[in-house]
Amino acid sequence: MPAESTPATEDAQAAEDAKSHRSVPRSAAFRAFIAAGWGPRPAEPDALDAAAPFAARRREVLSSLFPHEVLVVPAGTMVRRSNDTDYRFRPHSAFAHLTGLGTDREADAVLVLHPRGDAHEAVLYLRPQGARDTEEFFADARYGELWVGPRPSLTSIAATTGLAVHDVAGLAQELAASAGAETTTGLRLLRDADPAVEAVAGTVRPATGADEAATADEEFATALSELRLVKDEWEVQQLRDAVAASTRGFEEVVRALPRAVGHPRGERVVEAAFDATARVEGNGVGYETISAAGDHACTLHWIRNDGTVRAGDLLLVDAGVEVDSLYTADVTRTLPVDGRFTPAQRRVYQAVLDAADAAFAVAKPGVKFRDVHEAAMRVVADRLSAWGMLPVDAATSLDVEGQYHRRWMAHGTSHHLGLDVHDCAQARREMYLDAELRPGMVFTIEPGIYVKTEDELAPEDLRGIGIRIEDDVLVTEDGVENLTAALPRDPDALEAWMASLRG
């Protein structure tokens, strides 16, 4: 039932209407008419999602880390793009990891692990379906069914996730009861995801200082990040699917090259070819596509993509499809625009490939994550020294007090990959760079050499050449598997692949 009208609510509505440019019918006749004549909604999914058992095991691990504490993980809220338009919603990766919910489900949701003895009860809080006899149904551009489609019912979400699902309207009351229980020792919150949830948590958190609360939340964020360091079998399959879709996206890039060469914004022709594949085959791109031709390839995160694509130049494409579960690939290939490398381009390309192969050669369980980078750097420093680009010998450059070679490769060789393109970013150093590789870890191997056009320390024939080769690898029991092996890396094979796609 609508709330009873009062002078205060009437004044508030009048103030809102004075600034609203939407046409909202308010007559009683219209309200009665639009609420009537609807058949039943389509049947909703009621079977457990494939992700649900894996998400449940992740929640069990998280529960064991923080006994007797309330754990709050918001999905996040819509982000304003401009005025009254929002970006497409994407839930926080930690929320997706712990619930198995991907795509755009479900803005404003909150997962809470309520302490129950030595374990937790996981409850998902959602906004329920809007009734058709409310103004929300036809007038609310944020939540209304006529505007954005129906929300799933609480019953359907409970069936597909295996979670207890409650109306989010009761979140504050249930959080307060849980946080105030005699056996509860604290509350931890994933911050910066939903300001409204953060405010509610602040009012019910057991008495503690601001610094202590911030430290507890930081530890929680770290734990959520480290929980994703080793992927389970379901996650690995999602990444395989993302890589397969990305491979098809790169095929479309090659097919689009003739059109890109003839366009004043050829880089965007390339970007559009990949991004269209990502949107059709997945949820979209996992990050902004880098489509960098010529000297733009020497800008590591070139995403403006407004340059020309010219025959004789190289095109560096760094792109990945994010599938509906929100797992993303992250792949880079550097392509000769007209299908053939020049001798100088091939020389740099081979150096980068050799660096990547050196990294592959050392990557296996028990090796430290940082050792993969160091193996690639030894090759990069050796080649730059041979080309006369270093002021010292390669060994001196590799010393921690040297690092001259990093002028031409400023980034690291590897990063973890999963729900985020730079996954597990809040993990502790000893769990990331200084950690040993373990089966189930997925990360990139992506050395590069970037020589800007105006770089006077480089041989003239190498200036303007930027090359990166990036693959996604899965740590196995005895080594690593190159998940992106379907995309050629060898320069001869790459040329032949491009020729086959261009007929």
Side-chain angles (χ1 to χ4, degrees):
M1 296 274 304
E4 183 179 353
S5 177
T6 67
T9 59
E10 290 173 359
D11 289 345
Q13 183 66 59
E16 182 179 339
D17 289 347
K19 293 186 290 184
S20 174
H21 305 291
R22 295 190 184 279
S23 173
V24 180
R26 299 198 181 278
S27 71
F30 172 80
R31 288 171 180 270
F33 183 70
I34 198 166
W38 300 103
R41 288 188 169 97
E44 293 185 284
D46 59 3
L48 199 66
D49 284 345
F54 296 94
R57 286 200 284 273
R58 297 167 203 152
R59 294 193 298 271
E60 288 175 3
V61 174
L62 186 66
S63 171
S64 70
L65 298 175
F66 302 103
H68 308 293
E69 296 188 69
V70 182
L71 309 177
V72 185
V73 182
T77 188
M78 303 292 285
V79 176
R80 183 71 53 85
R81 186 181 190 276
S82 66
N83 193 25
D84 60 350
T85 60
D86 297 320
Y87 288 102
R88 284 193 181 98
F89 176 70
R90 184 192 189 280
H92 194 287
S93 294
F95 176 89
H97 190 238
L98 293 169
T99 63
L101 294 172
T103 59
D104 57 355
R105 302 182 298 171
E106 173 73 28
D108 308 318
V110 186
L111 174 69
V112 178
L113 273 62
H114 295 283
R116 302 285 188 258
D118 292 331
H120 286 83
E121 178 192 11
V123 178
L124 183 61
Y125 294 87
L126 294 175
R127 189 182 180 98
Q129 282 183 338
R132 287 166 169 166
D133 62 353
T134 63
E135 185 169 310
E136 175 192 285
F137 174 68
F138 66 86
D140 191 326
R142 174 73 179 276
Y143 297 111
E145 183 173 331
L146 287 188
W147 291 84
V148 297
R151 287 188 299 282
S153 68
L154 304 190
T155 302
S156 176
I157 291 292
T160 57
T161 63
L163 285 158
V165 180
H166 296 181
D167 188 336
V168 72
L171 174 65
Q173 181 178 350
E174 294 184 28
L175 263 185
S178 193
E182 186 176 346
T183 56
T184 296
T185 59
L187 181 149
R188 295 181 190 256
L189 166 73
L190 178 67
R191 296 195 181 199
D192 302 324
D194 188 326
V197 175
E198 196 165 331
V200 170
T203 65
V204 304
R205 191 190 292 266
T208 185
D211 290 344
E212 184 179 346
T215 298
D217 292 344
E218 185 176 347
E219 292 171 349
F220 186 48
T222 296
L224 291 170
S225 199
E226 292 177 354
L227 194 62
R228 308 208 303 264
L229 282 166
V230 175
K231 272 59 179 177
D232 57 43
E233 60 187 88
W234 183 84
E235 292 179 286
V236 170
Q237 185 57 53
Q238 299 308 301
L239 287 163
R240 291 187 189 280
D241 293 345
V243 165
S246 300
T247 298
R248 292 188 285 274
F250 273 86
E251 291 171 352
E252 292 305 312
V253 163
V254 174
R255 294 187 179 105
L257 282 177
R259 186 161 56 92
V261 170
H263 197 283
R265 287 188 171 185
E267 290 177 340
R268 292 197 182 173
V269 173
V270 170
E271 175 189 0
F274 187 91
D275 289 11
T277 304
R279 189 63 179 155
V280 169
E281 298 209 15
N283 190 52
V285 292
Y287 53 96
E288 293 293 334
T289 295
I290 296 171
S291 174
D295 189 65
H296 288 165
C298 300
T299 300
L300 300 181
H301 287 171
W302 176 259
I303 59 172
R304 189 173 301 148
N305 300 342
D306 61 354
T308 58
V309 175
R310 297 176 297 185
D313 278 351
L314 295 174
L315 173 71
L316 187 156
V317 180
D318 186 335
V321 173
E322 177 186 84
V323 291
D324 288 345
S325 60
L326 306 182
Y327 288 80
T328 184
D330 181 9
V331 189
T332 306
R333 289 295 184 265
T334 306
L335 312 172
V337 171
D338 54 7
R340 303 284 293 181
F341 290 103
T342 68
Q345 291 168 352
R346 182 178 279 263
R347 181 154 45 112
V348 180
Y349 187 96
Q350 189 64 54
V352 174
L353 181 60
D354 290 347
D357 287 346
F360 269 97
V362 303
K364 60 183 178 181
V367 169
K368 286 191 175 181
F369 192 82
R370 64 169 59 257
D371 293 342
V372 178
H373 172 71
E374 290 173 359
M377 287 302 93
R378 286 192 289 271
V379 175
V380 170
D382 178 73
R383 300 304 167 83
L384 293 173
S385 177
W387 299 337
M389 295 169 65
L390 300 180
V392 296
D393 59 50
T396 303
S397 186
L398 288 164
D399 186 81
V400 68
E401 298 300 324
Q403 300 293 302
Y404 299 97
H405 57 287
R406 297 301 295 277
R407 172 186 174 112
W408 293 281
M409 184 182 157
H411 60 82
T413 301
S414 300
H415 59 77
H416 280 272
L417 181 67
L419 279 163
D420 293 337
V421 65
H422 290 175
D423 210 26
C424 314
Q426 291 176 284
R428 291 165 293 173
R429 189 180 188 88
E430 61 266 29
M431 297 294 289
Y432 201 125
L433 285 176
D434 294 333
E436 292 184 352
L437 300 183
R438 289 182 283 162
M441 286 183 169
V442 178
F443 59 90
T444 64
I445 291 179
E446 50 174 312
I449 294 176
Y450 314 91
V451 187
K452 293 188 70 63
T453 301
E454 66 271 24
D455 191 340
E456 295 181 352
L457 298 185
E460 192 168 348
D461 64 336
L462 302 187
R463 296 176 191 174
I465 293 177
I467 293 175
R468 179 164 64 251
I469 303 169
E470 180 178 20
D471 289 290
D472 302 341
V473 300
L474 166 68
V475 182
T476 62
E477 293 297 330
D478 56 1
V480 293
E481 177 189 350
N482 184 358
L483 300 177
T484 43
L487 281 172
R489 302 163 69 249
D490 174 83
D492 292 332
L494 186 68
E495 290 177 347
W497 171 73
M498 293 182 66
S500 71
L501 290 170
R502 296 168 71 168

